């Protein structure tokens, strides 16, 4: 098997299998779309988990990418994925919205599985290759890879927030995780604030010096090297959303959606993975109070909430689902009429076409995350509004708020403020909708996911060239 000059390492492979079928299809995520042309051009390899426990697969090629499956046993899934990644790191890094659990068996599994990914990546990478590690499930991989393969140029991108030092310092393995990340040459974050939190943790915990975006990392031979820790806000494949939004069948579907909801004057929309970071309860609460106060009526306003199933075996997620479904049931019980529903709740995932039709059907998009690395749904909504209509209510705690200042920015904890913001969005005159939407769309089109990957890989290329100069 030939080795690759460009390797992506991510918890998941960029493919999945439809139902019980043996056929692989490309996963719908933005990262996969973004990297597809890069992978194809570089004849790259992608190291990741196929998404099912105990599935041992040989490497295979899929649409121009060499896929290297990493096997996770049922125990690994429980301890590394559901445990350490999604019940320790995820809640800790999202500002402890849910309580993180610190379990030593989970950590041991995280170390073991990270090593497995690092070994698979080392095996797939050619001499002097570029390896790009993705996200919080694999924070130890950069250092493991550097130790095994000092010839590699290593990047890491952190898709979720990096918390303030006071929270980060709860982590019993705080030093090991920082050292793991610092194995990379470039460590990318969503927001400037995340990169700042990381640099502060490094200064306080490891006593390394930081200057602007540079961090001096001691090496085994007693010298230091500089790692770059910087914000590279991720984006979406804006053009593909625009193309979908211009398709007559999708526009017709948007009309059909409105009709099937009884043609209410206002459709409010929430689209999230069913996750406690997304502020779904706050949103339902605000909507319920607006109905209660008589500022909205169920005859002319419906909230459509798409909550796609996620991490369903983690107890916090099961509890959240019960809470949300109880809240939805209560609002609907109190306010539904025979012909109109207050909240149309859909615990389902939809193809991109249907999502774009929903975006076009919705007058107001509600993104009320309590903490979110970026929130790509906000960007998808904006890209889809080719008619320059609609209003975006956006949490300042989502990374997207740094770029989308023309949205109505809210603090989701402030329910009165959220209610007022929703009413401003509902009542926003078309001229103001157009003015704001044009500004939002300009930003998303000017900085799409291709720019994101190019910016990151350009920063990494500087290190690659330096490495080449040293070995030459
Ligand atoms: C977030 C994370 C991703 C993760 C995704 C879905 O966006 O940043 O790394 O893949 O959630 O979660 P899952 O646990 O299903 O992979």
């Amino acid at each position: 098997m030939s080795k690759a000059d460009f390797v992506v390492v991510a918890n998941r492979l960029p493919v999945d299998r439809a139902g019980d079928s043996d056929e692989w299809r490309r996963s719908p995520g933005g990262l996969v779309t973004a990297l597809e042309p890069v992978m194809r051009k570089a004849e790259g390899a992608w190291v990741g988990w196929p998404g099912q426990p105990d599935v041992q697969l040989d490497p295979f090629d899929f649409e121009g990418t060499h896929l290297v499956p990493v096997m996770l046993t049922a125990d690994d899934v429980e301890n590394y994925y559901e445990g350490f990644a999604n019940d320790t790191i995820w809640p800790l890094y999202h500002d402890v919205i849910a309580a993180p659990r610190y379990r030593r068996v989970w950590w041991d599994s995280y170390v073991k599985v990270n090593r497995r990914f690092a070994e698979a990546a080392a095996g797939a990478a050619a001499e002097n290759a570029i390896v790009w590690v993705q996200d919080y499930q694999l924070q130890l991989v950069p250092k493991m890879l550097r130790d095994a393969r000092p010839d590699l140029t290593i990047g890491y991108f952190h898709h979720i927030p990096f918390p303030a030092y006071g929270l980060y310092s709860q982590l019993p393995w705080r030093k090991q995780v920082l050292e793991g990340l610092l194995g990379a040459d470039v460590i990318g974050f969503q927001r400037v604030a995340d990169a700042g939190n990381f640099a502060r943790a490094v200064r306080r915990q490891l006593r390394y010096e930081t200057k602007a975006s540079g961090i001096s990392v001691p090496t085994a031979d007693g010298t230091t090297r500089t790692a770059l820790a910087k914000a590279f806000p991720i984006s979406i494949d804006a053009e593909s959303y625009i193309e979908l939004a211009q398709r007559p069948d999708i526009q017709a579907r948007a009309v059909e959606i409105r009709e099937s909801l009884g043609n209410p004057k206002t459709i409010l929309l929430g689209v999230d993975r069913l996750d406690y970071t997304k502020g779904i309860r706050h949103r339902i609460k605000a909507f319920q109070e607006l109905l209660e106060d008589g500022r909205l009526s169920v005859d002319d306003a419906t909230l459509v909430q798409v909550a796609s199933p996620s991490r369903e075996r983690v107890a916090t997620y099961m509890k959240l689902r019960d809470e949300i479904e109880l809240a939805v049931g209560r609002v609907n019980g109190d306010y539904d009429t025979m012909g109109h529903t207050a909240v149309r709740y859909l615990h389902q995932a939809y193809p991109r076409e249907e999502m774009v039709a929903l975006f076009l059907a919705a007058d107001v998009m509600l993104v009320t995350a309590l903490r979110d690395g970026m929130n790509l749904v906000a960007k998808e909504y904006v890209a889809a509004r080719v008619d320059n209509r609609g209003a975006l209510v956006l949490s300042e705690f989502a990374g997207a708020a740094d770029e989308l200042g023309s949205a109505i920015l809210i603090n989701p904890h402030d329910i009165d403020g959220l209610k007022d913001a929703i009413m401003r969005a509902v009542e926003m005159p078309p001229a103001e909708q157009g003015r704001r939407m044009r500004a939002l769309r300009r930003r998303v089109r000017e900085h799409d996911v291709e720019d994101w990957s190019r910016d990151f890989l350009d920063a990494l290329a500087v290190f690659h060239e330096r490495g080449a100069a040293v070995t030459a």
Side-chain angles (χ1 to χ4, degrees):
M1 184 197 82
S2 70
K3 310 242 168 179
D5 290 322
F6 180 64
V7 180
V8 169
V9 194
N11 180 51
R12 288 179 185 275
L13 282 176
V15 294
D16 50 39
R17 281 203 265 225
D20 306 328
S21 122
D22 279 348
E23 287 276 304
W24 294 99
R25 39 159 216 211
R26 188 169 288 280
S27 314
L31 178 69
V32 176
T33 320
L35 293 181
E36 202 252 351
V38 188
M39 300 298 290
R40 212 181 266 272
K41 218 169 106 208
E43 295 186 7
W46 187 306
V47 176
W49 171 47
Q52 300 286 321
D54 295 308
V55 172
Q56 184 105 51
L57 291 172
D58 289 331
F60 60 101
D61 290 328
F62 180 86
E63 295 181 5
T65 303
H66 186 63
L67 302 183
V68 183
V70 174
M71 207 268 289
L72 296 187
T73 65
D75 275 356
D76 296 333
V77 173
E78 197 180 319
N79 296 313
Y80 147 80
Y81 170 73
E82 290 163 354
F84 198 79
N86 289 316
D87 216 2
T88 304
I89 294 292
W90 182 270
L92 176 65
Y93 284 24
H94 287 88
D95 288 357
V96 190
I97 296 165
R101 295 170 64 201
Y102 302 112
R103 296 197 55 201
R104 284 162 287 181
V105 280
W106 290 357
W107 165 255
D108 293 344
S109 172
Y110 187 76
V111 175
K112 192 179 79 186
V113 172
N114 269 245
R115 179 150 295 122
R116 200 177 301 151
F117 275 87
E119 280 164 7
E127 183 78 15
N128 296 323
I130 291 178
V131 181
W132 192 4
V133 183
Q134 308 288 331
D135 226 358
Y136 66 100
Q137 302 92 346
L138 303 175
Q139 295 173 100
L140 308 178
V141 169
K143 178 168 185 335
M144 290 171 171
L145 255 182
R146 177 173 294 275
D147 289 347
R149 291 285 306 272
D151 58 298
L152 301 176
T153 304
I154 303 166
Y156 170 90
F157 187 75
H158 193 75
H159 292 252
I160 70 172
F162 196 90
Y165 181 70
L167 292 175
Y168 181 74
S169 54
Q170 287 185 11
L171 185 67
W173 307 279
R174 57 199 183 185
K175 282 204 170 92
Q176 291 96 312
V177 167
L178 294 175
E179 279 162 356
L181 292 168
L182 285 169
D185 294 297
V186 178
I187 305 146
F189 294 93
Q190 300 283 23
R191 306 180 92 158
V192 173
D194 297 316
N197 288 342
F198 174 72
R200 178 140 191 264
V202 168
R203 281 195 301 273
R204 300 285 291 261
Q205 280 301 320
L206 304 177
R207 307 260 160 228
Y208 296 171
E209 268 178 41
T210 68
K211 202 162 148 200
S213 313
I215 300 178
S216 301
V217 185
T219 57
D221 61 11
T223 59
T224 60
R225 63 180 179 88
T226 302
L228 189 70
K230 219 184 118 184
F232 294 89
I234 200 168
S235 192
I236 59 162
D237 176 17
E239 284 312 313
S240 78
Y241 281 87
I242 294 169
E243 274 166 32
L244 289 174
Q246 281 166 339
R247 253 167 59 180
D249 59 325
I250 289 180
Q251 291 182 357
R253 175 67 190 143
V255 174
E256 199 178 278
I257 289 171
R258 290 196 75 102
E259 276 165 7
S260 58
L261 290 165
N263 266 325
K265 217 166 92 212
T266 308
I267 295 175
L268 302 110
L269 175 65
V271 174
D272 312 84
R273 267 187 316 101
L274 186 49
D275 195 294
Y276 50 81
T277 59
K278 303 290 183 182
I280 302 173
R281 267 178 306 166
H282 297 64
R283 188 181 311 167
I284 293 172
K285 172 97 180 139
F287 183 64
Q288 178 205 335
E289 286 192 14
L290 288 170
L291 292 173
E292 199 172 290
D293 302 344
R295 292 167 82 185
L296 287 178
S297 133
V298 74
D299 296 329
D300 45 40
T302 293
L303 169 61
V304 176
Q305 177 63 55
V306 176
S308 53
S310 184
R311 306 174 190 164
E312 292 188 280
R313 286 165 17 129
V314 178
T316 328
Y317 287 79
M318 292 179 196
K319 187 161 158 267
L320 173 80
R321 181 171 176 195
D322 287 346
E323 286 167 4
I324 300 280
E325 295 183 354
L326 185 66
V328 170
R330 286 221 170 120
V331 183
N332 284 344
D334 285 345
Y335 294 99
D336 275 9
T337 61
M338 288 302 169
H340 294 279
T341 189
V343 183
R344 173 60 48 87
Y345 166 77
L346 303 149
H347 183 244
Q348 293 161 52
Y350 293 95
R352 210 183 256 208
E353 288 78 5
E354 182 73 355
M355 291 318 305
V356 170
L358 252 179
F359 291 146
L360 286 173
D363 305 283
V364 175
M365 182 79 212
L366 299 175
V367 177
T368 58
L370 305 175
R371 186 48 90 193
D372 208 333
M374 175 53 65
N375 197 290
L376 293 178
V377 168
K379 292 188 172 180
E380 289 167 6
Y381 178 68
V382 164
R385 292 315 304 234
V386 287
D387 56 353
N388 291 315
R389 285 297 190 88
L392 173 64
V393 174
L394 175 61
S395 168
E396 38 183 270
F397 297 103
D402 282 359
E403 295 169 83
L404 304 183
S406 296
I408 301 180
L409 296 182
I410 51 112
N411 168 6
H413 298 283
D414 170 11
I415 299 292
D416 285 336
L418 176 56
K419 285 163 68 182
D420 291 345
I422 293 176
M423 289 314 296
R424 265 183 74 197
V426 169
E427 289 162 359
M428 191 183 284
E432 186 182 347
Q433 289 177 29
R435 191 169 46 72
R436 286 178 184 258
M437 195 51 82
R438 271 188 286 273
L440 293 168
R441 291 175 53 76
R442 200 174 311 124
R443 170 66 200 175
V444 174
R445 293 187 76 169
E446 276 169 7
H447 180 72
D448 68 4
V449 72
E450 217 182 300
D451 296 298
W452 168 77
S453 61
R454 191 186 322 111
D455 289 349
F456 188 94
L457 293 173
D458 282 353
L460 206 50
V462 174
F463 287 86
H464 190 243
E465 279 151 25
R466 248 185 245 164
V470 171
T471 45

